[in-house]
Amino acid sequence: MIDKSVFHPLNYIKKEEYSGSMDGMRYMLKKVKEGEEDAILVTIWPEPFGIHATPDEEKTTKTVALTSDGVSEAADWLNEQYTAQKERWTRAKNWRMP
């Protein structure tokens, strides 16, 4: 689970994509335009592949504000998705190349 007391990637996200993983769930936070405003696009997908090698139908996204509160909302959403889809991430983590 993401510990919000140490999860502070806002300044990094303003310049670069920020990615990580939690026991089978991969995620990326990326600065995007939402109309006239900057926002964070949060994307999750199952291991083992990177974001570009994973089919779009395997990805789930959420857009939040490009602010500290938005980062906190993203962390909450990532934790919720990790818990709600735990079986999916466990299957992904245990996947082996045939």
Side-chain angles (χ1 to χ4, degrees), residues 10 14 38 40 64-72:
L10 181 59
K14 289 179 180 179
D38 287 333
I40 300 170
V64 297
L66 184 65
T67 62
S68 294
D69 288 343
V71 170
S72 180

Side-chain angles (χ1 to χ4, degrees), residues 1-5 7-10 13 22 25 27-29 34 38-44 61-82:
M1 301 290 281
I2 292 177
D3 179 355
K4 291 192 325 184
S5 69
F7 187 70
H8 303 287
L10 181 59
I13 296 167
M22 292 190 297
M25 181 182 87
Y27 60 88
M28 178 178 288
L29 287 78
E34 182 83 0
D38 287 333
I40 300 170
L41 178 65
V42 186
T43 306
I44 59 172
T61 62
K62 178 177 179 68
T63 304
V64 297
L66 184 65
T67 62
S68 294
D69 288 343
V71 170
S72 180
E73 182 181 347
D76 288 340
W77 184 74
L78 288 169
N79 287 334
E80 289 167 8
Q81 294 302 306
Y82 177 76

Side-chain angles (χ1 to χ4, degrees), residues 40-56:
I40 300 170
L41 178 65
V42 186
T43 306
I44 59 172
W45 68 96
E47 290 183 349
F49 303 114
I51 193 166
H52 301 295
T54 300
D56 288 342

